[in-house]
Amino acid sequence: MRKRPQPEASSSSSSASKSEPQASDEQIKTGSSNDIHVRSAKRSGLAWTVAFAAFVYATYGVYYYQYEHMPPPLTADQAGKRGFSEFEAIKHVKALTELGPHPVGSDALDRALQVYVFAAAQKIKETKHWEVDVEVDFFHAKSGANRLVSGAFMGRTLIYSDLNHIVLRIQPKYASEAAENAILVSSHIDTVFAAEGAGDCSSCVAVMLELARAMSQWAHGFKNAVIFLFNTGEEEGLNGAHSFVTQHPWNTTIRVAIDLEAMGIGGKSGLFQAGPHPWAVENFAAAAKYPSGQVTAQDLFASGAITSATDFQVYKEVAGLSGLDFAYTDKSAVYHTKNDKLDLLKPGSLQHLGENMLAFLLQAASSTSLPKGNAMEKEGKTVHETAVYFDILGTYMVLYRQGFANMLHNSVIVQSLLIWTASLVMGGYPAAVSLALTCLSAILMLVFSVSFAVVIAFILPQISSSPVPYVANPWLAVGLFAAPAFLGALTGQHLGYIILKAYLANMFSKRMQLSPVVQADLIKLEAERWLFKAGFLQWLILLALGNFYKIGSTFIALFWLVPPAFAYGFLEATLTPVRFPRPLKLATLLLGLAVPVLVSAGNFIRLANVIVAIVVRFDRNPGGTPEWLGNVILAVFIAVVLCLTLVYLLSYVHLSGAKRPIAIASCVLFVLSLILVLSGTVPPFSEDTARAVNVVHVVDASGKFGGKQEPSSFIALYSTTPGKLTKEVEQIKEGFVCGRDNVVDFVTLSMEYGCLTYDGTDGGWSQSDVPTIHVESEGFGIMDTKGNDNGRITKVSIDMKGSVRWSLAIDAEEIEDFTFKEGSEELVRRDEKSGMDGWHIIQFSGGKNAVSKFDLDLYWVKNSRESYHNANRKEKQRPLLKLRTDFDRLTPKTERVLSKLPAWCSLFGKSTSPQTLSFLNSLPVNF
């Protein structure tokens, strides 16, 4: 009896059967090509090129419609009394930005708050519907302290004083019970000292004012109140939100919190944080006219990959509220710079957010099912199931809860594993080896793609005038990184293809007697199918990992696995033991990729744009980060995305004659991009997309405890954007000397590379501005009220000399705890405190009338007695306390330097960066 031939390696498939040409045993034995019908293992290079062009065009089309296509702005007449008008909202943005930068403690902020926003709120009160009650409260917050347990401010103690907010509450006049359940809509009026804040966040304030006006015409039918909080102090540590939820009498009535933010200027304001309770996001998805939001952004934010914070963190952590967090992210490179200006605000941006929020608030305010209780409570109390959400082209939002996601993912994983197992059982040993080689091809594809892109990322800083030459023109990243990554992916998969063909040739030669021509074609066709199925395997692994860790973004893996597998099973697969493969159909590719491209292509491009923008402010300790690191992150991201998404498409190229032309085209694109960069034809920065720099007049009295020496005075120039400051200094002149020897410790950051000049820096400040640190008393063995020995305690008084913005670091190696007092009020009590890199950090900001004298009690570590007696014998370089006080004023030298600053540069502000005049002081350990 003659044995039936073993099935080919590719007889395993990932879906249902489909009949294909079959060969008899005798045909296989004789190997007659005249008797066996085998499709030619060739594909038109033009057909593949058209498919690739269609893929690229569809990808950009999805991105454009999802993120760039804006609703038309409406006039007041078009919107009506109850609608939202961008034309009216823009008037608010214009008025606020005309005030210039308005940071906490500035006269400009007082005008923005008291003269403009308060007046606008009063006007809303005057023009409300007669059955609506509108209350306007000018709220003055007393001093307070905030310590967050996660995010950008983790490990810091944030203290504030003399903050003012505008609070506006809208509710039906004849339903007083509505006031007991309120929806909070919040944003901040203050800006950083370097930006007028058209995007961050005058646009948010403008949307809120126009929303409040419209809501005041609707609220007579509400069952819940709506509170609009226009706070100050957000830029200095989320202090406005904290003071409201801990001090304002209305804080106990809030059930849901909505935060409006900006990390750029304009575009679509997208939902990037939601929960913990899914009620708010479920209602938003149902009500929003132009829903925009991605759980992917929430995952990135929660992971710490994006080191930023918003007021929403306070509402969740401190108040225990659930809700939504929205942000503008267009042109993120201008964030906190001079280019956060009205001219760059895209038409339709405010209309998009305004109409979405109006629809949501109307539905939420009429609801009888607002979530209640602390959203963060656990261990026997309510724990809420999170939601997975994403929008389709900005027109529809898909939303389901994590429990359903787990069930769906588990179902797909189990079915996929069963299909793979069945395929391997049917295919036997050859199928298992082919599967292993398929995995190898995917690994080679990733390794080569990442390697090619990373090599360019390393080389670029060595040959370019800027390590990040693509900031002003992000499309350059396509040529500089995407082209090498694509070439690497093609190279890696081609090597895998060769290895797979070699194995299949050996397997066919042993098991079948075929003519050389037929055998060669069969090997190519079989290898093509295995390379296509490599995509199933890699996305299945990602799906399993994401499901295990309950990552919301796992839906991306689901959509890149299921539709291509379905298309393959529907059009290509067979479970027939003996069959000869055919070339994969282009219809399989088009059907399989349509849904994943629609769902995720726009997100990948958006994330790449965000990474490019973050590079502008990437170096948190200027000069402390390798110049190539930002490039490497961008290059790796692009390479990984290309490998994951092009695995299906590239599997089609090996039967065509397109490999050589596309490799040449990739090289040409890279070379052209490099020429544009090296020739300076396309500059790395522009006037509208500037390099982030800081110019600080520093008066350094640190290390001079007791006032025995005069402080040193100098101008420091540094940049959070990677790269040297050679070109900038050449244009400014003014005696700057640059290098890594010019290290300046700014308490909250360290300038590892920068430029200093001491010429003409004696004016614009006086000795009386230098903060003082005075040791009041020193004691040992002091007992507390419970009879416990407190050990060594040092009482220190600090005079900030009028500064209302300062940072203090306490050596955590010597001091285990501390208390902080403002007069008789203890702002920071003794408890367990976390630190950062061995320091307890305190940041303070306040209004113009904030106090500037404080008392500090330091509780030393238990072995401090011994270190105290040995202090004279063991001098420590590290101080016990280090202090920086800031003033937002220009000295003559600083003003001269700023006047010469190149147009492609802009001051950059953040909570940790010094303002234009800073004083440094310290207290040594062996005082």
Side-chain angles (χ1 to χ4, degrees):
M1 179 181 292
R2 191 171 55 204
K3 288 186 178 181
R4 188 176 183 83
Q6 293 294 319
E8 303 168 45
S10 66
S11 63
S12 59
S13 67
S14 61
S15 194
S17 65
K18 182 115 178 142
S19 63
E20 293 189 3
Q22 301 175 30
S24 69
D25 295 342
E26 193 62 39
Q27 287 174 321
I28 293 174
K29 184 166 183 151
T30 60
S32 171
S33 59
N34 294 326
D35 297 329
I36 302 175
H37 177 66
V38 178
R39 296 288 181 90
S40 174
K42 291 183 180 180
R43 178 177 288 111
S44 167
L46 178 61
W48 187 91
T49 304
V50 170
F52 179 73
F55 178 85
V56 173
Y57 181 79
T59 298
Y60 180 76
V62 168
Y63 167 75
Y64 177 83
Y65 199 87
Q66 188 169 10
Y67 290 103
E68 301 290 337
H69 182 69
M70 308 300 297
L74 299 181
T75 64
D77 290 338
Q78 290 172 322
K81 289 183 66 175
R82 295 185 171 188
F84 184 94
S85 167
E86 177 171 309
F87 280 82
E88 295 301 305
I90 283 290
K91 294 177 183 177
H92 300 311
V93 180
K94 187 173 186 295
L96 291 170
T97 54
E98 284 177 348
L99 297 172
H102 34 283
V104 171
S106 66
D107 292 333
L109 181 59
D110 288 343
R111 291 194 295 272
L113 189 75
Q114 300 176 25
V115 177
Y116 191 80
V117 177
F118 185 72
Q122 290 285 28
K123 185 176 180 181
I124 292 170
K125 182 177 181 179
E126 295 169 1
T127 59
K128 65 179 176 63
H129 189 278
W130 67 274
E131 291 183 291
V132 173
D133 188 21
V134 175
E135 299 172 77
V136 179
D137 180 28
F138 188 92
F139 176 60
H140 178 77
K142 63 180 183 179
S143 300
N146 178 24
R147 287 209 304 272
L148 297 172
V149 298
S150 63
F153 295 105
M154 182 176 62
R156 301 176 187 268
T157 300
L158 308 169
I159 303 177
Y160 53 85
S161 179
D162 191 38
L163 297 181
N164 296 310
H165 319 308
I166 304 296
V167 191
L168 186 151
R169 181 165 68 178
I170 300 175
Q171 61 187 22
K173 181 177 291 186
Y174 303 112
S176 58
E177 66 277 6
E180 297 304 312
N181 296 285
I183 301 160
L184 176 69
V185 183
S186 170
S187 191
H188 63 95
I189 304 174
D190 61 305
T191 70
V192 295
F193 72 93
E196 62 186 37
D200 187 18
C201 211
S202 294
S203 58
C204 312
V205 171
V207 167
M208 285 172 57
L209 287 171
E210 179 63 4
L211 279 173
R213 180 205 60 76
M215 297 289 286
S216 70
Q217 306 301 318
W218 282 95
H220 52 281
F222 289 176
K223 294 180 174 61
N224 309 296
V226 179
I227 296 175
F228 291 90
L229 170 63
F230 304 87
N231 71 64
T232 64
E234 190 273 349
E235 296 292 5
E236 299 298 338
L238 319 181
N239 297 324
H242 185 270
S243 64
F244 176 79
V245 299
T246 57
Q247 299 181 28
H248 198 278
W250 295 344
N251 60 12
T252 58
T253 67
I254 298 170
R255 303 291 173 253
V256 174
I258 313 299
D259 182 51
L260 306 184
E261 256 296 352
M263 299 173 194
I265 180 167
K268 291 186 176 181
S269 181
L271 175 65
F272 73 102
Q273 290 191 96
H277 196 292
W279 182 90
V281 67
E282 287 172 348
N283 278 267
F284 174 77
K289 188 175 181 180
Y290 313 105
S292 179
Q294 297 290 333
V295 73
T296 304
Q298 178 171 305
D299 290 339
L300 288 172
F301 212 78
S303 70
I306 299 177
T307 51
S308 187
T310 71
D311 285 337
F312 188 67
Q313 183 180 354
V314 173
Y315 300 137
K316 280 205 308 181
E317 286 188 14
V318 180
L321 296 169
S322 292
L324 307 173
D325 201 4
F326 296 86
Y328 288 113
T329 55
D330 259 21
K331 301 181 179 70
S332 290
V334 310
Y335 177 67
H336 283 188
T337 69
K338 67 177 183 180
N339 291 317
D340 187 1
K341 56 188 179 182
L342 183 58
D343 293 346
L344 297 183
L345 186 61
K346 184 183 298 182
S349 301
L350 306 189
Q351 193 69 43
H352 175 267
L353 176 59
E355 291 201 54
N356 279 345
M357 288 304 302
L358 182 59
F360 167 74
L361 289 174
L362 290 176
Q363 177 164 307
S366 302
S367 173
T368 58
S369 59
L370 288 182
K372 297 182 179 181
N374 192 321
M376 308 299 287
E377 290 177 350
K378 298 179 181 179
E379 298 181 2
K381 298 183 181 180
T382 303
V383 178
H384 304 295
E385 191 177 15
T386 57
V388 176
Y389 56 91
F390 54 92
D391 71 89
I392 305 295
L393 299 181
T395 58
Y396 180 78
M397 179 164 280
V398 178
L399 184 142
Y400 47 88
R401 297 198 177 188
Q402 187 63 52
F404 176 79
N406 295 339
M407 181 180 67
L408 179 62
H409 297 163
N410 287 330
S411 173
V412 172
I413 291 169
V414 170
Q415 291 182 60
S416 298
L417 291 176
L418 288 175
I419 292 172
W420 274 107
T421 302
S423 299
L424 292 176
V425 169
M426 293 178 63
Y429 178 77
V433 175
S434 298
L435 176 63
L437 294 178
T438 299
C439 295
L440 177 62
S441 73
I443 293 171
L444 289 173
M445 186 178 178
L446 183 63
V447 169
F448 275 84
S449 181
V450 170
S451 299
F452 282 26
V454 166
V455 166
I456 302 304
F458 275 109
I459 293 175
L460 206 55
Q462 312 303 322
I463 62 177
S464 173
S465 61
S466 170
V468 287
Y470 45 80
V471 169
N473 301 278
W475 52 266
L476 276 174
V478 176
L480 293 175
F481 301 122
F486 179 80
L487 187 61
L490 179 62
T491 303
Q493 195 182 72
H494 179 68
L495 288 176
Y497 177 67
I498 292 174
I499 296 171
L500 189 57
K501 282 201 306 178
Y503 169 73
L504 292 174
N506 182 57
M507 186 269 295
F508 272 108
S509 65
K510 291 180 179 179
R511 294 179 175 272
M512 301 181 183
Q513 298 177 6
L514 302 172
S515 67
V517 174
V518 172
Q519 180 169 305
D521 283 348
L522 286 176
I523 291 169
K524 292 178 182 178
L525 294 172
E526 192 72 7
E528 179 187 60
R529 287 175 172 258
W530 275 109
L531 292 179
F532 187 87
K533 289 187 284 188
F536 303 159
L537 193 62
Q538 66 182 19
W539 285 110
L540 176 60
I541 293 172
L542 291 177
L543 179 65
L545 289 173
N547 186 60
F548 179 79
Y549 290 105
K550 292 181 171 55
I551 300 172
S553 303
T554 307
F555 77 89
I556 295 176
L558 182 71
F559 280 103
W560 279 93
L561 170 61
V562 174
F566 173 80
Y568 183 88
F570 185 67
L571 298 174
E572 307 286 355
T574 178
L575 295 178
T576 306
V578 181
R579 62 106 178 106
F580 288 107
R582 298 176 296 181
L584 294 175
K585 303 178 181 68
L586 283 177
T588 304
L589 190 67
L590 297 176
L591 180 63
L593 296 187
V595 174
V597 167
L598 182 68
V599 169
S600 62
N603 297 334
F604 291 139
I605 297 177
R606 189 62 160 191
L607 284 174
N609 282 335
V610 170
I611 294 173
V612 170
I614 289 176
V615 166
V616 174
R617 49 191 182 273
F618 184 72
D619 207 348
R620 290 182 169 267
N621 290 303
T625 304
E627 292 182 346
W628 45 261
L629 185 57
N631 290 342
V632 168
I633 293 173
L634 178 60
V636 169
F637 173 79
I638 290 174
V640 170
V641 169
L642 284 181
C643 287
L644 292 175
T645 57
L646 292 181
V647 60
Y648 300 116
L649 183 62
L650 284 181
S651 66
Y652 276 65
V653 77
H654 302 286
L655 298 187
S656 72
K659 275 191 283 192
R660 185 185 298 273
I662 62 175
I664 293 173
S666 299
C667 292
V668 169
L669 178 59
F670 167 70
V671 171
L672 288 176
S673 300
L674 195 61
I675 290 173
L676 290 174
V677 169
L678 299 182
S679 65
T681 304
V682 179
F685 309 103
S686 66
E687 190 169 352
D688 284 341
T689 308
R691 181 179 188 179
V693 301
N694 285 84
V695 178
V696 188
H697 191 144
V698 180
V699 180
D700 187 4
S702 60
K704 304 172 179 62
F705 180 72
K708 297 179 180 179
Q709 300 179 30
E710 287 294 321
S712 60
S713 176
F714 55 89
I715 303 292
L717 170 66
Y718 66 84
S719 176
T720 55
T721 308
K724 301 293 188 294
L725 291 162
T726 308
K727 291 181 66 176
E728 288 79 1
V729 167
E730 287 176 355
Q731 180 165 329
I732 297 171
K733 300 184 181 356
E734 295 296 334
F736 277 104
V737 177
C738 302
R740 293 193 172 273
D741 296 331
N742 302 326
V743 177
V744 180
D745 187 348
F746 283 108
V747 181
T748 53
L749 62 88
S750 178
M751 187 185 82
E752 304 294 330
Y753 165 84
C755 308
L756 303 181
T757 179
Y758 292 84
D759 300 341
T761 60
D762 295 332
W765 64 277
S766 67
Q767 185 72 40
S768 62
D769 293 325
V770 180
T772 59
I773 304 174
H774 181 66
V775 177
E776 297 291 340
S777 64
E778 177 85 0
F780 293 95
I782 301 175
M783 300 293 181
D784 61 17
T785 56
K786 297 181 180 180
N788 298 319
D789 185 357
N790 283 324
R792 181 183 176 188
I793 302 177
T794 300
K795 295 183 178 294
V796 177
S797 64
I798 305 175
D799 188 348
M800 306 301 175
K801 297 299 180 72
S803 173
V804 295
R805 185 182 190 265
W806 51 262
S807 300
L808 175 70
I810 304 170
D811 188 351
E813 294 180 2
E814 297 289 345
I815 304 300
E816 67 177 4
D817 207 346
F818 62 89
T819 62
F820 192 86
K821 298 179 181 178
E822 176 191 303
S824 60
E825 183 180 2
E826 190 174 57
L827 297 179
V828 181
R829 296 181 176 86
R830 187 179 181 186
D831 55 14
E832 293 185 5
K833 297 184 176 66
S834 58
M836 294 181 59
D837 302 323
W839 295 95
H840 299 298
I841 304 292
I842 301 175
Q843 288 181 223
F844 177 93
S845 70
K848 291 186 297 183
N849 298 319
V851 297
S852 60
K853 293 182 180 181
F854 303 92
D855 295 314
L856 185 67
D857 289 354
L858 304 175
Y859 295 84
W860 294 67
V861 294
K862 296 304 180 182
N863 62 351
S864 59
R865 292 172 186 250
E866 182 178 345
S867 63
Y868 174 75
H869 292 301
N870 295 331
N872 292 328
R873 287 180 291 172
K874 189 176 181 180
E875 185 84 20
K876 285 192 67 175
Q877 297 295 322
R878 182 174 163 123
L880 183 67
L881 303 178
K882 51 183 182 179
L883 173 66
R884 187 193 81 224
T885 59
D886 294 330
F887 293 88
D888 186 17
R889 77 173 187 246
L890 299 179
T891 62
K893 180 70 172 183
T894 308
E895 191 169 11
R896 191 159 63 249
V897 170
L898 289 175
S899 68
K900 297 180 179 180
L901 200 65
W904 69 80
C905 292
S906 169
L907 291 182
F908 174 70
K910 57 185 299 185
S911 63
T912 56
S913 61
Q915 293 182 326
T916 50
L917 176 61
S918 290
F919 295 86
L920 305 178
N921 209 340
S922 65
L923 177 68
V925 172
N926 59 333
F927 54 85

